[in-house]
Amino acid sequence: MHNSGHDFSDDERAGLYRAIYERRDVRSQFLPDPIPRPVLARLLNAAHHAPSVGFMQPWDFILIDSPEIREQVLASFNEENAKAAKNYTGERQQTYRSLKLQGITESPMNLCITCNRSRGGDHVLGRNSVVEMDLFSTCLAVQNLWLAARAEGIGVGWVSIIDQSRLASILNLPENVYPLAYLCLGYVSEFLDKPELETKGWRSRLPLEGLVHSNRWGAEPDDEALLEQLRR
Amino acid sequence: MHNSGHDFSDDERAGLYRAIYERRDVRSQFLPDPIPRPVLARLLNAAHHAPSVGFMQPWDFILIDSPEIREQVLASFNEENAKAAKNYTGERQQTYRSLKLQGITESPMNLCITCNRSRGGDHVLGRNSVVEMDLFSTCLAVQNLWLAARAEGIGVGWVSIIDQSRLASILNLPENVYPLAYLCLGYVSEFLDKPELETKGWRSRLPLEGLVHSNRWGAEPDDEALLEQLRR
């Protein structure tokens, strides 16, 4: 019934899951090798084929290789990161300070994926009840690019410790355009087996079965077979 | 140099791109067949392996099969959709009213992916400057699930025309938990070749080369070879 020509082969399906499980948020393993244009075009095209509310396609892609611009972005990171470090004390602060949280200048390319909040006019289909759907759509584009990058052997790191209004000004963004994701991209020496924050003891992976509810918040699924699958 | 054991085979890479290009926002093609538990577990696990700010993993998954709850959600959709239709006039409003925008009761399963905004405590690493990073992380989980579903032959539709506070109350969510994505899931008779909004003339796909900037907003890349790749 549902095996009618739209099925994936085992290898194709394995490829998708491999990208999902082996994707990493890369900060430290960047190589300087440039990203060839056909590869870069594939990554951008993957992002452009994300779902978007009302087919709004609110994203733009700013490719950043200018050292001057990157230095300005790095300066904003450093300021924000110094503020963030003050949220922790003692050993936790030491661990925080020991973490490398960006690869802005080591990666061969930075990419800002923006969200144009006025694209598509005043009334975007499906964005009437939840006005943030444009931002959410742009996130889906980020994840498409992130997974495609993994399949191409390219690491991606999302730098979220930046002042967004300063970033908007550095990149000359119009008022209606929000710099949603600032990404560092490049080939890598390796993809780590596990997320760095897990390996370094910052935080553990939560057990999936504790995150699944049945029909209402807090009701555990009355389905031992499913829970057993979720524990694997 | 960057061909060291972490490379994807051609079939694996093709599988990832196939999922990206053949994924659809499904509203009309759902089959009633239930989703087997091992498949459902793979979808949830794919979502759970999305990147998240500070390894926060802010998501929870509410599996909804109760007809009563779905009827309540559908009622909220109908109210919000009636409001939204009033944004359009004439032929555009007729087209709007002719579009099927949800499959809440026809799909065998609904899934709400929520964002617990207080998970991880007061200071989540990387969420100091941009407090919405938890919502953005949850979106990345949605996209992982959406792509995994496509690879499993399962369609997903995101219903964004709902009152989120009403939805939160229907699902009994605690105050700090936001119902980010309300999804309909099920096997499908077909995956459409193109997005339905494109086929029905609601909106066209934007040319990718017009969305790519160099270093600052509005500066076209001075790279004809790249632009040529983007036009393909």
Side-chain angles (χ1 to χ4, degrees):
Chain A
M1 185 72 170
H2 39 76
N3 295 319
S4 52
H6 61 233
D7 272 15
F8 274 46
S9 71
D10 289 347
D11 281 354
E12 287 175 329
R13 194 179 307 112
L16 184 268
Y17 281 118
R18 191 178 168 197
I20 286 174
Y21 286 109
E22 298 186 9
R23 180 210 49 76
R24 288 290 167 267
D25 195 333
V26 174
R27 291 92 178 248
S28 302
Q29 294 84 24
F30 288 112
L31 301 173
D33 314 49
I35 300 171
R37 288 169 188 129
V39 178
L40 180 59
R42 287 200 290 273
L43 300 188
L44 297 174
N45 212 14
H48 188 40
H49 281 76
S52 64
V53 64
F55 206 37
M56 185 184 178
Q57 308 160 75
W59 40 71
D60 280 79
F61 307 95
I62 307 182
L63 304 169
I64 300 153
D65 55 8
S66 150
E68 294 75 22
I69 290 186
R70 293 208 230 177
E71 285 299 335
Q72 292 175 51
V73 175
L74 183 59
S76 175
F77 168 84
N78 285 333
E79 267 182 41
E80 293 295 307
N81 198 40
K83 278 191 243 168
K86 289 184 191 150
N87 293 330
Y88 308 101
T89 54
E91 202 180 325
R92 193 79 169 160
Q93 190 181 75
Q94 281 187 322
T95 307
Y96 185 89
R97 290 190 189 278
S98 77
L99 293 167
K100 181 152 172 27
L101 298 176
Q102 53 75 31
I104 295 168
T105 54
E106 307 93 282
S107 58
M109 169 161 288
N110 292 184
L111 166 65
C112 185
I113 302 187
T114 61
C115 177
N116 186 337
R117 310 214 61 185
S118 49
R119 185 164 291 157
D122 285 346
H123 298 295
V124 169
L125 182 151
R127 200 192 156 202
N128 202 52
S129 309
V130 184
V131 75
E132 298 82 9
M133 279 301 296
D134 56 344
L135 300 173
F136 299 165
S137 300
T138 306
C139 293
L140 306 181
V142 172
Q143 186 65 357
N144 267 10
L145 181 133
W146 211 331
L147 294 171
R150 177 61 193 87
E152 302 280 0
I154 291 171
V156 173
W158 183 330
V159 186
S160 62
I161 305 173
I162 309 185
D163 180 305
Q164 301 297 96
S165 61
R166 180 136 163 228
L167 180 58
S169 134
I170 294 169
L171 300 178
N172 236 353
L173 302 186
E175 205 177 340
N176 52 317
V177 175
Y178 179 74
L180 185 113
Y182 194 88
L183 308 173
C184 303
L185 270 75
Y187 289 102
V188 295
S189 55
E190 61 169 333
F191 288 95
L192 299 177
D193 281 343
K194 290 186 168 194
E196 212 165 344
L197 294 181
E198 190 177 3
T199 313
K200 299 225 167 142
W202 185 262
R203 200 166 154 74
S204 307
R205 187 173 297 280
L206 301 172
L208 176 56
E209 70 268 26
L211 303 175
V212 178
H213 312 245
S214 175
N215 285 307
R216 285 170 188 275
W217 183 268
E220 187 178 292
D222 182 20
D223 183 339
E224 188 47 46
L226 175 63
L227 291 170
E228 168 60 29
Q229 291 284 340
L230 296 175
R231 276 182 214 116
R232 288 189 182 181
Chain B
M1 185 71 170
H2 40 77
N3 296 319
S4 52
H6 61 234
D7 272 14
F8 274 46
S9 70
D10 289 346
D11 281 353
E12 286 174 329
R13 194 180 307 113
L16 184 269
Y17 281 118
R18 192 178 165 195
I20 286 174
Y21 287 109
E22 298 187 8
R23 181 210 50 75
R24 288 290 166 268
D25 195 334
V26 174
R27 291 97 177 246
S28 302
Q29 293 83 25
F30 287 113
L31 301 173
D33 313 49
I35 300 172
R37 289 168 187 130
V39 178
L40 180 59
R42 287 201 290 275
L43 300 188
L44 296 173
N45 211 15
H48 188 42
H49 281 75
S52 64
V53 65
F55 206 37
M56 182 184 180
Q57 309 160 77
W59 41 72
D60 279 78
F61 306 94
I62 307 182
L63 304 170
I64 299 153
D65 55 9
S66 150
E68 294 75 23
I69 291 185
R70 293 208 231 175
E71 285 298 335
Q72 292 175 50
V73 174
L74 183 58
S76 175
F77 168 84
N78 285 332
E79 267 182 40
E80 292 297 305
N81 198 39
K83 279 191 243 166
K86 291 184 189 144
N87 292 330
Y88 308 99
T89 53
E91 203 181 327
R92 193 79 169 161
Q93 192 183 73
Q94 281 187 321
T95 306
Y96 185 88
R97 290 190 189 278
S98 77
L99 293 167
K100 181 154 173 25
L101 297 176
Q102 54 75 30
I104 294 170
T105 54
E106 305 94 281
S107 59
M109 170 163 284
N110 293 183
L111 166 64
C112 184
I113 303 187
T114 61
C115 177
N116 187 338
R117 310 213 60 184
S118 49
R119 185 164 289 156
D122 285 346
H123 298 295
V124 170
L125 183 150
R127 200 192 157 201
N128 204 52
S129 309
V130 183
V131 76
E132 297 82 9
M133 278 302 295
D134 56 346
L135 300 175
F136 299 165
S137 300
T138 306
C139 293
L140 306 181
V142 172
Q143 185 65 356
N144 267 11
L145 180 131
W146 211 331
L147 294 171
R150 178 60 192 90
E152 301 280 2
I154 291 170
V156 172
W158 183 330
V159 185
S160 63
I161 304 173
I162 309 186
D163 180 305
Q164 300 299 94
S165 62
R166 180 136 162 229
L167 180 58
S169 136
I170 294 169
L171 300 178
N172 238 353
L173 302 185
E175 206 177 342
N176 52 319
V177 176
Y178 179 74
L180 185 112
Y182 193 88
L183 308 173
C184 303
L185 270 76
Y187 290 103
V188 294
S189 54
E190 61 168 334
F191 288 96
L192 300 176
D193 282 344
K194 290 187 167 191
E196 212 166 342
L197 294 181
E198 190 177 4
T199 313
K200 298 227 168 144
W202 185 262
R203 203 167 151 74
S204 306
R205 188 173 293 283
L206 301 172
L208 176 55
E209 70 268 26
L211 303 175
V212 179
H213 312 243
S214 176
N215 285 306
R216 286 170 188 274
W217 184 269
E220 185 178 294
D222 183 19
D223 182 339
E224 189 48 44
L226 175 63
L227 291 170
E228 168 59 27
Q229 292 282 341
L230 296 176
R231 274 182 217 117
R232 289 187 185 183

